[in-house]
């Protein structure tokens, strides 16, 4: 079962999140039939986005992360709410690349150069939008840079996805550590030393570490206190009704030409790849509603 934990340490001077996301990344991989490098890129993004999601307060708050680079994956999009639901997709799920210089899946090469945008719909008039340049395209560094620069909360982010030989997901997860306002200099120094000395998130996941164990390794010396545990899963809220609304929104002229073709129309949800078929009569009915 996938879940995230929320924690604090150093008497509230550090806040932390950690997640295990193997199941949901596997759901995403199977839905989109992603290549290994695309699975890693999407899985890291889904994990980071899910953790950003639970930082929001409101039941109806929604957060979207868009990674737009010039690499062959043609961008990554993920959306999460504050309740542990996340969904996402990549532009080109079949992208194949050689391993990078470290022998790892070349996520940075797949993403390329560009920017990361975070859009938060917090039920206010205007959504909040923050945008930063991609640092490496390896995703974790880009989340770190976004949180530190755009949200101005100094952060450390680790995200990892490990694959089985047959390219299914073996492990996925990550963490976010954040320094709260008023943090003491000695806490910052001690944490920096700690981070420099611990294994990468990939090795921790490889060793089978749970989110609790990951935070214990990172913050065990800082009086780690786990506050709550939140189940996390890949959930898409698409439906035929929503697809019908999308069809009606393309405009009357467009819809008229589709109806004039006399064929049925298949629509696919970007986020979960579910297919919805609209028969010719259903399309004609939508056109009647739009024209009324
Ligand atoms: Zn969907």
């Amino acid at each position: 079962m996938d879940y995230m934990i929320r924690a604090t340490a150093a008497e509230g001077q550090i806040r932390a999140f950690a997640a295990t996301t193997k199941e949901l990344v596997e759901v995403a991989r199977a839905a989109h039939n992603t290549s290994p490098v695309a699975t890693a890129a999407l899985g890291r993004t889904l994990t980071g986005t899910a953790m950003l999601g639970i930082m929001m307060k409101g039941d109806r708050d929604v957060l979207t992360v868009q990674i737009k680079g010039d690499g062959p994956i043609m961008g990554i999009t993920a959306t999460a709410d504050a309740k542990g639901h996340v969904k996402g997709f990549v532009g080109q799920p079949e992208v194949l690349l050689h391993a990078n210089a470290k022998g790892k899946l070349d996520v940075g090469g797949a993403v390329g150069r560009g920017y990361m945008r975070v859009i938060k719909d917090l039920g206010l008039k205007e959504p909040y939008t923050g945008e930063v340049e991609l640092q490496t395209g390896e995703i974790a560094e880009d989340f770190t840079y976004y949180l530190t620069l755009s949200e101005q909360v100094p952060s450390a982010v680790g995200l990892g996805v490990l694959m089985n030989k047959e390219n299914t997901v073996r492990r996925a997860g990550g963490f976010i550590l954040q320094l709260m306002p008023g943090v003491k200099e000695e806490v910052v120094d001690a944490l920096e030393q700690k981070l420099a000395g611990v294994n990468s998130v990939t090795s921790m996941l490889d060793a089978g570490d749970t989110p609790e164990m990951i935070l214990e390794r990172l913050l065990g010396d800082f009086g780690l206190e786990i506050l709550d545990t939140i189940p996390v899963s890949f959930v898409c809220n698409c439906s035929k009704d929503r697809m019908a609304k999308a069809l009606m929104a393309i405009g009357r002229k467009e819809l008229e030409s589709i109806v004039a073709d006399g064929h049925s129309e298949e629509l696919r949800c970007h986020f979960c790849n579910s297919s919805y078929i609209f028969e010719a009569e259903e399309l004609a009915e939508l056109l009647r509603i739009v024209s009324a």
Side-chain angles (χ1 to χ4, degrees), residues 63-90:
L63 175 146
T64 298
V65 172
Q66 292 174 340
I67 292 170
K68 299 273 185 202
D70 60 3
I73 203 166
M74 313 267 293
I76 309 166
T77 303
T79 292
D81 63 17
K83 296 176 284 187
H85 304 136
V86 65
K87 59 183 178 177
F89 63 95
V90 301

PDB file of all heavy atoms in Angstrom, residues 63-90:
ATOM      1  N   LEU A  63      -3.341  21.046  -7.200  1.00  0.00           N
ATOM      2  CA  LEU A  63      -2.023  21.533  -7.599  1.00  0.00           C
ATOM      3  C   LEU A  63      -1.559  20.785  -8.844  1.00  0.00           C
ATOM      4  O   LEU A  63      -1.711  19.568  -8.928  1.00  0.00           O
ATOM      5  CB  LEU A  63      -1.066  21.286  -6.433  1.00  0.00           C
ATOM      6  CG  LEU A  63       0.411  21.596  -6.601  1.00  0.00           C
ATOM      7  CD1 LEU A  63       0.954  22.086  -5.263  1.00  0.00           C
ATOM      8  CD2 LEU A  63       1.198  20.376  -7.030  1.00  0.00           C
ATOM      9  N   THR A  64      -1.050  21.534  -9.818  1.00  0.00           N
ATOM     10  CA  THR A  64      -0.548  20.913 -11.050  1.00  0.00           C
ATOM     11  C   THR A  64       0.911  21.287 -11.271  1.00  0.00           C
ATOM     12  O   THR A  64       1.280  22.452 -11.125  1.00  0.00           O
ATOM     13  CB  THR A  64      -1.388  21.366 -12.264  1.00  0.00           C
ATOM     14  OG1 THR A  64      -2.728  20.938 -12.061  1.00  0.00           O
ATOM     15  CG2 THR A  64      -0.872  20.770 -13.557  1.00  0.00           C
ATOM     16  N   VAL A  65       1.720  20.297 -11.566  1.00  0.00           N
ATOM     17  CA  VAL A  65       3.124  20.523 -11.909  1.00  0.00           C
ATOM     18  C   VAL A  65       3.286  20.255 -13.400  1.00  0.00           C
ATOM     19  O   VAL A  65       2.919  19.178 -13.875  1.00  0.00           O
ATOM     20  CB  VAL A  65       4.058  19.596 -11.103  1.00  0.00           C
ATOM     21  CG1 VAL A  65       5.496  19.693 -11.596  1.00  0.00           C
ATOM     22  CG2 VAL A  65       3.984  19.917  -9.610  1.00  0.00           C
ATOM     23  N   GLN A  66       3.805  21.258 -14.111  1.00  0.00           N
ATOM     24  CA  GLN A  66       4.087  21.080 -15.536  1.00  0.00           C
ATOM     25  C   GLN A  66       5.587  21.199 -15.742  1.00  0.00           C
ATOM     26  O   GLN A  66       6.176  22.206 -15.356  1.00  0.00           O
ATOM     27  CB  GLN A  66       3.404  22.165 -16.360  1.00  0.00           C
ATOM     28  CG  GLN A  66       1.894  22.060 -16.377  1.00  0.00           C
ATOM     29  CD  GLN A  66       1.252  23.240 -17.092  1.00  0.00           C
ATOM     30  OE1 GLN A  66       1.862  24.294 -17.244  1.00  0.00           O
ATOM     31  NE2 GLN A  66       0.011  23.059 -17.503  1.00  0.00           N
ATOM     32  N   ILE A  67       6.178  20.180 -16.332  1.00  0.00           N
ATOM     33  CA  ILE A  67       7.596  20.235 -16.660  1.00  0.00           C
ATOM     34  C   ILE A  67       7.680  20.288 -18.179  1.00  0.00           C
ATOM     35  O   ILE A  67       7.247  19.356 -18.869  1.00  0.00           O
ATOM     36  CB  ILE A  67       8.340  19.031 -16.061  1.00  0.00           C
ATOM     37  CG1 ILE A  67       8.344  19.189 -14.532  1.00  0.00           C
ATOM     38  CG2 ILE A  67       9.759  18.932 -16.612  1.00  0.00           C
ATOM     39  CD1 ILE A  67       8.821  17.991 -13.774  1.00  0.00           C
ATOM     40  N   LYS A  68       8.156  21.423 -18.673  1.00  0.00           N
ATOM     41  CA  LYS A  68       8.206  21.625 -20.121  1.00  0.00           C
ATOM     42  C   LYS A  68       9.662  21.756 -20.531  1.00  0.00           C
ATOM     43  O   LYS A  68      10.315  22.760 -20.226  1.00  0.00           O
ATOM     44  CB  LYS A  68       7.472  22.921 -20.506  1.00  0.00           C
ATOM     45  CG  LYS A  68       5.993  22.921 -20.121  1.00  0.00           C
ATOM     46  CD  LYS A  68       5.141  22.287 -21.199  1.00  0.00           C
ATOM     47  CE  LYS A  68       3.664  22.409 -20.864  1.00  0.00           C
ATOM     48  NZ  LYS A  68       2.858  21.404 -21.565  1.00  0.00           N
ATOM     49  N   GLY A  69      10.176  20.729 -21.203  1.00  0.00           N
ATOM     50  CA  GLY A  69      11.557  20.778 -21.653  1.00  0.00           C
ATOM     51  C   GLY A  69      11.633  20.524 -23.143  1.00  0.00           C
ATOM     52  O   GLY A  69      10.634  20.174 -23.774  1.00  0.00           O
ATOM     53  N   ASP A  70      12.843  20.712 -23.694  1.00  0.00           N
ATOM     54  CA  ASP A  70      13.007  20.494 -25.132  1.00  0.00           C
ATOM     55  C   ASP A  70      13.472  19.068 -25.450  1.00  0.00           C
ATOM     56  O   ASP A  70      13.864  18.771 -26.566  1.00  0.00           O
ATOM     57  CB  ASP A  70      13.963  21.547 -25.722  1.00  0.00           C
ATOM     58  CG  ASP A  70      15.348  21.484 -25.091  1.00  0.00           C
ATOM     59  OD1 ASP A  70      15.586  20.585 -24.244  1.00  0.00           O
ATOM     60  OD2 ASP A  70      16.194  22.334 -25.440  1.00  0.00           O
ATOM     61  N   GLY A  71      13.444  18.178 -24.443  1.00  0.00           N
ATOM     62  CA  GLY A  71      13.878  16.793 -24.649  1.00  0.00           C
ATOM     63  C   GLY A  71      12.784  15.933 -25.265  1.00  0.00           C
ATOM     64  O   GLY A  71      11.637  16.355 -25.395  1.00  0.00           O
ATOM     65  N   PRO A  72      13.143  14.700 -25.649  1.00  0.00           N
ATOM     66  CA  PRO A  72      12.233  13.836 -26.419  1.00  0.00           C
ATOM     67  C   PRO A  72      10.992  13.361 -25.655  1.00  0.00           C
ATOM     68  O   PRO A  72      10.061  12.854 -26.272  1.00  0.00           O
ATOM     69  CB  PRO A  72      13.112  12.644 -26.811  1.00  0.00           C
ATOM     70  CG  PRO A  72      14.252  12.662 -25.858  1.00  0.00           C
ATOM     71  CD  PRO A  72      14.476  14.095 -25.495  1.00  0.00           C
ATOM     72  N   ILE A  73      10.947  13.535 -24.323  1.00  0.00           N
ATOM     73  CA  ILE A  73       9.751  13.103 -23.590  1.00  0.00           C
ATOM     74  C   ILE A  73       8.592  14.089 -23.792  1.00  0.00           C
ATOM     75  O   ILE A  73       7.448  13.768 -23.509  1.00  0.00           O
ATOM     76  CB  ILE A  73      10.069  12.887 -22.086  1.00  0.00           C
ATOM     77  CG1 ILE A  73       9.064  11.924 -21.449  1.00  0.00           C
ATOM     78  CG2 ILE A  73      10.091  14.206 -21.310  1.00  0.00           C
ATOM     79  CD1 ILE A  73       9.465  11.394 -20.086  1.00  0.00           C
ATOM     80  N   MET A  74       8.893  15.268 -24.323  1.00  0.00           N
ATOM     81  CA  MET A  74       7.867  16.267 -24.666  1.00  0.00           C
ATOM     82  C   MET A  74       7.009  16.683 -23.474  1.00  0.00           C
ATOM     83  O   MET A  74       5.798  16.872 -23.605  1.00  0.00           O
ATOM     84  CB  MET A  74       6.944  15.732 -25.775  1.00  0.00           C
ATOM     85  CG  MET A  74       7.640  15.097 -26.943  1.00  0.00           C
ATOM     86  SD  MET A  74       7.962  16.218 -28.299  1.00  0.00           S
ATOM     87  CE  MET A  74       6.330  16.583 -28.855  1.00  0.00           C
ATOM     88  N   GLY A  75       7.649  16.817 -22.322  1.00  0.00           N
ATOM     89  CA  GLY A  75       6.936  17.376 -21.176  1.00  0.00           C
ATOM     90  C   GLY A  75       6.275  16.339 -20.281  1.00  0.00           C
ATOM     91  O   GLY A  75       6.015  15.210 -20.701  1.00  0.00           O
ATOM     92  N   ILE A  76       6.081  16.749 -19.023  1.00  0.00           N
ATOM     93  CA  ILE A  76       5.440  15.894 -18.007  1.00  0.00           C
ATOM     94  C   ILE A  76       4.417  16.760 -17.287  1.00  0.00           C
ATOM     95  O   ILE A  76       4.709  17.917 -16.967  1.00  0.00           O
ATOM     96  CB  ILE A  76       6.466  15.391 -16.965  1.00  0.00           C
ATOM     97  CG1 ILE A  76       7.690  14.772 -17.642  1.00  0.00           C
ATOM     98  CG2 ILE A  76       5.818  14.400 -15.985  1.00  0.00           C
ATOM     99  CD1 ILE A  76       8.874  14.577 -16.704  1.00  0.00           C
ATOM    100  N   THR A  77       3.242  16.203 -17.024  1.00  0.00           N
ATOM    101  CA  THR A  77       2.222  16.918 -16.257  1.00  0.00           C
ATOM    102  C   THR A  77       1.713  16.008 -15.145  1.00  0.00           C
ATOM    103  O   THR A  77       1.452  14.835 -15.383  1.00  0.00           O
ATOM    104  CB  THR A  77       1.039  17.315 -17.167  1.00  0.00           C
ATOM    105  OG1 THR A  77       1.541  18.110 -18.245  1.00  0.00           O
ATOM    106  CG2 THR A  77      -0.003  18.122 -16.398  1.00  0.00           C
ATOM    107  N   ALA A  78       1.595  16.560 -13.944  1.00  0.00           N
ATOM    108  CA  ALA A  78       1.019  15.796 -12.833  1.00  0.00           C
ATOM    109  C   ALA A  78       0.123  16.718 -12.023  1.00  0.00           C
ATOM    110  O   ALA A  78       0.401  17.912 -11.896  1.00  0.00           O
ATOM    111  CB  ALA A  78       2.108  15.200 -11.951  1.00  0.00           C
ATOM    112  N   THR A  79      -0.963  16.152 -11.497  1.00  0.00           N
ATOM    113  CA  THR A  79      -1.921  16.913 -10.706  1.00  0.00           C
ATOM    114  C   THR A  79      -2.224  16.143  -9.424  1.00  0.00           C
ATOM    115  O   THR A  79      -2.397  14.926  -9.465  1.00  0.00           O
ATOM    116  CB  THR A  79      -3.220  17.113 -11.516  1.00  0.00           C
ATOM    117  OG1 THR A  79      -2.935  17.967 -12.613  1.00  0.00           O
ATOM    118  CG2 THR A  79      -4.312  17.763 -10.690  1.00  0.00           C
ATOM    119  N   ALA A  80      -2.263  16.869  -8.316  1.00  0.00           N
ATOM    120  CA  ALA A  80      -2.569  16.218  -7.035  1.00  0.00           C
ATOM    121  C   ALA A  80      -3.526  17.088  -6.239  1.00  0.00           C
ATOM    122  O   ALA A  80      -3.604  18.295  -6.437  1.00  0.00           O
ATOM    123  CB  ALA A  80      -1.292  16.001  -6.225  1.00  0.00           C
ATOM    124  N   ASP A  81      -4.254  16.445  -5.323  1.00  0.00           N
ATOM    125  CA  ASP A  81      -5.057  17.213  -4.375  1.00  0.00           C
ATOM    126  C   ASP A  81      -4.413  17.096  -2.996  1.00  0.00           C
ATOM    127  O   ASP A  81      -3.299  16.576  -2.871  1.00  0.00           O
ATOM    128  CB  ASP A  81      -6.527  16.745  -4.397  1.00  0.00           C
ATOM    129  CG  ASP A  81      -6.703  15.299  -3.968  1.00  0.00           C
ATOM    130  OD1 ASP A  81      -5.770  14.735  -3.345  1.00  0.00           O
ATOM    131  OD2 ASP A  81      -7.766  14.722  -4.249  1.00  0.00           O
ATOM    132  N   ALA A  82      -5.105  17.588  -1.984  1.00  0.00           N
ATOM    133  CA  ALA A  82      -4.535  17.587  -0.631  1.00  0.00           C
ATOM    134  C   ALA A  82      -4.837  16.292   0.108  1.00  0.00           C
ATOM    135  O   ALA A  82      -4.517  16.151   1.281  1.00  0.00           O
ATOM    136  CB  ALA A  82      -5.073  18.792   0.149  1.00  0.00           C
ATOM    137  N   LYS A  83      -5.470  15.330  -0.591  1.00  0.00           N
ATOM    138  CA  LYS A  83      -5.927  14.110   0.072  1.00  0.00           C
ATOM    139  C   LYS A  83      -5.191  12.860  -0.404  1.00  0.00           C
ATOM    140  O   LYS A  83      -5.654  11.740  -0.178  1.00  0.00           O
ATOM    141  CB  LYS A  83      -7.437  13.947  -0.158  1.00  0.00           C
ATOM    142  CG  LYS A  83      -8.249  15.072   0.493  1.00  0.00           C
ATOM    143  CD  LYS A  83      -9.738  14.958   0.187  1.00  0.00           C
ATOM    144  CE  LYS A  83     -10.027  15.413  -1.224  1.00  0.00           C
ATOM    145  NZ  LYS A  83     -11.472  15.487  -1.516  1.00  0.00           N
ATOM    146  N   GLY A  84      -4.071  13.070  -1.113  1.00  0.00           N
ATOM    147  CA  GLY A  84      -3.289  11.904  -1.523  1.00  0.00           C
ATOM    148  C   GLY A  84      -3.675  11.311  -2.860  1.00  0.00           C
ATOM    149  O   GLY A  84      -3.260  10.201  -3.179  1.00  0.00           O
ATOM    150  N   HIS A  85      -4.451  12.049  -3.654  1.00  0.00           N
ATOM    151  CA  HIS A  85      -4.779  11.584  -5.003  1.00  0.00           C
ATOM    152  C   HIS A  85      -3.867  12.284  -6.003  1.00  0.00           C
ATOM    153  O   HIS A  85      -3.709  13.500  -5.950  1.00  0.00           O
ATOM    154  CB  HIS A  85      -6.241  11.896  -5.347  1.00  0.00           C
ATOM    155  CG  HIS A  85      -7.204  11.322  -4.366  1.00  0.00           C
ATOM    156  ND1 HIS A  85      -8.271  12.021  -3.876  1.00  0.00           N
ATOM    157  CD2 HIS A  85      -7.230  10.099  -3.784  1.00  0.00           C
ATOM    158  CE1 HIS A  85      -8.939  11.257  -3.028  1.00  0.00           C
ATOM    159  NE2 HIS A  85      -8.321  10.080  -2.949  1.00  0.00           N
ATOM    160  N   VAL A  86      -3.305  11.517  -6.899  1.00  0.00           N
ATOM    161  CA  VAL A  86      -2.401  12.099  -7.894  1.00  0.00           C
ATOM    162  C   VAL A  86      -2.609  11.389  -9.227  1.00  0.00           C
ATOM    163  O   VAL A  86      -3.030  10.230  -9.264  1.00  0.00           O
ATOM    164  CB  VAL A  86      -0.928  12.010  -7.398  1.00  0.00           C
ATOM    165  CG1 VAL A  86      -0.459  10.562  -7.277  1.00  0.00           C
ATOM    166  CG2 VAL A  86       0.011  12.832  -8.265  1.00  0.00           C
ATOM    167  N   LYS A  87      -2.365  12.113 -10.313  1.00  0.00           N
ATOM    168  CA  LYS A  87      -2.471  11.532 -11.658  1.00  0.00           C
ATOM    169  C   LYS A  87      -1.486  12.293 -12.547  1.00  0.00           C
ATOM    170  O   LYS A  87      -1.077  13.412 -12.203  1.00  0.00           O
ATOM    171  CB  LYS A  87      -3.897  11.669 -12.195  1.00  0.00           C
ATOM    172  CG  LYS A  87      -4.380  13.117 -12.278  1.00  0.00           C
ATOM    173  CD  LYS A  87      -5.830  13.217 -12.743  1.00  0.00           C
ATOM    174  CE  LYS A  87      -6.273  14.676 -12.757  1.00  0.00           C
ATOM    175  NZ  LYS A  87      -7.637  14.856 -13.256  1.00  0.00           N
ATOM    176  N   GLY A  88      -1.124  11.697 -13.676  1.00  0.00           N
ATOM    177  CA  GLY A  88      -0.188  12.407 -14.537  1.00  0.00           C
ATOM    178  C   GLY A  88       0.114  11.664 -15.817  1.00  0.00           C
ATOM    179  O   GLY A  88      -0.275  10.502 -15.985  1.00  0.00           O
ATOM    180  N   PHE A  89       0.824  12.364 -16.712  1.00  0.00           N
ATOM    181  CA  PHE A  89       1.180  11.771 -18.003  1.00  0.00           C
ATOM    182  C   PHE A  89       2.414  12.460 -18.565  1.00  0.00           C
ATOM    183  O   PHE A  89       2.799  13.538 -18.105  1.00  0.00           O
ATOM    184  CB  PHE A  89       0.012  11.882 -19.004  1.00  0.00           C
ATOM    185  CG  PHE A  89      -0.379  13.300 -19.348  1.00  0.00           C
ATOM    186  CD1 PHE A  89       0.127  13.932 -20.487  1.00  0.00           C
ATOM    187  CD2 PHE A  89      -1.252  14.005 -18.526  1.00  0.00           C
ATOM    188  CE1 PHE A  89      -0.238  15.233 -20.808  1.00  0.00           C
ATOM    189  CE2 PHE A  89      -1.621  15.322 -18.836  1.00  0.00           C
ATOM    190  CZ  PHE A  89      -1.110  15.930 -19.974  1.00  0.00           C
ATOM    191  N   VAL A  90       3.009  11.818 -19.558  1.00  0.00           N
ATOM    192  CA  VAL A  90       4.131  12.445 -20.272  1.00  0.00           C
ATOM    193  C   VAL A  90       3.722  12.606 -21.730  1.00  0.00           C
ATOM    194  O   VAL A  90       2.830  11.901 -22.216  1.00  0.00           O
ATOM    195  CB  VAL A  90       5.431  11.600 -20.186  1.00  0.00           C
ATOM    196  CG1 VAL A  90       5.838  11.393 -18.738  1.00  0.00           C
ATOM    197  CG2 VAL A  90       5.291  10.262 -20.900  1.00  0.00           C
TER     198      VAL A  90
END
